[in-house]
Amino acid sequence: NPKVAAQSLGEFVALAKERPGKLNYATPGAASQTHLVTELFSQCAGIKMEQIPYRGGTPAVQAVVAGDAQFTVLSPLVSMPQIAAGNLKVLAVGGRARDPQLPDVPTVAEQGFADFEATQWVGLLTTAGTPGDVVARINVAVNQALADKELIARLAQQGMSPGGGTPAEFAARIAKEIADWQAVARAAGIKAE
């Protein structure tokens, strides 16, 4: 919320340390990505904040705009209209690189939390047991599509950038993400509802 007295992530952390447990954040629900990402950041920064779960991203953003919650962590796709209107202020982006839609906003890592990374991603999966040659053909087609300039431009409008890669790389990423987010959930005592 623009009324929160912090103009940078460092100032926000200092404010949270001055008022442990007094800052609250809106999520689209308990055990959501927003909940996990905020808990990861809290663990990295050594701060404690309170979650207020809502039923979806739009109500969570509206709660922050209204001042019912001090902040949220959501994708630009969900929050960009409110950011553009000046109803939300952005302190950081969670990826390793700056968001092309918010080029002046530094990453969390740039602001002193070098190991922090939290991004949304989308992947294409198929049923177990799909023949390897079929998986390989699908993979080639997907990687070709992700190299298309028109698709890249359309994805950028949605705040997304194509990744591509091999099925083995994707499987490794999924396994790592599961392990990493399970650790965050265990440390924060987060349980799916």
Side-chain angles (χ1 to χ4, degrees):
N1 183 289
K3 294 179 182 172
V4 173
Q7 301 306 315
S8 69
L9 197 57
E11 289 179 14
F12 183 81
V13 169
L15 183 64
K17 286 183 177 181
E18 287 172 17
R19 301 169 48 194
K22 300 294 183 197
L23 292 180
N24 57 51
Y25 61 97
T27 71
S32 63
Q33 182 182 22
T34 297
H35 190 186
L36 290 166
V37 170
T38 305
E39 287 300 329
L40 172 63
F41 180 72
S42 296
Q43 292 167 18
C44 291
I47 56 178
K48 177 71 178 149
M49 298 173 287
E50 296 299 318
Q51 178 209 193
I52 302 175
Y54 289 85
R55 291 181 183 245
T58 300
V61 169
Q62 291 170 339
V64 177
V65 170
D68 297 332
Q70 280 81 50
F71 76 101
T72 190
V73 176
L74 289 171
S75 73
L77 182 61
V78 173
S79 53
M80 194 57 81
Q82 297 294 343
I83 294 167
N87 296 328
L88 293 176
K89 95 178 127 178
V90 184
L91 299 180
V93 296
R96 285 282 175 209
R98 291 186 181 204
D99 188 313
Q101 294 185 78
L102 301 164
D104 297 329
V105 178
T107 67
V108 174
E110 286 178 288
Q111 296 186 68
F113 302 93
D115 294 333
F116 185 92
E117 179 181 14
T119 57
Q120 290 181 322
W121 52 266
V122 177
L124 183 62
L125 302 167
T126 188
T127 55
T130 300
D133 64 320
V134 173
V135 171
R137 284 197 316 267
I138 293 170
N139 181 246
V140 167
V142 168
N143 282 318
Q144 286 174 343
L146 291 175
D148 179 78
K149 289 182 178 163
E150 185 177 331
L151 179 62
I152 292 169
R154 286 182 181 246
L155 290 172
Q157 290 172 342
Q158 301 291 317
M160 298 165 53
S161 59
T166 68
E169 290 168 338
F170 189 42
R173 178 172 190 159
I174 291 170
K176 181 181 182 323
E177 294 251 350
I178 288 170
D180 290 349
W181 292 113
Q182 282 178 337
V184 171
R186 272 194 295 276
I190 297 172
K191 295 186 183 345
E193 294 181 0

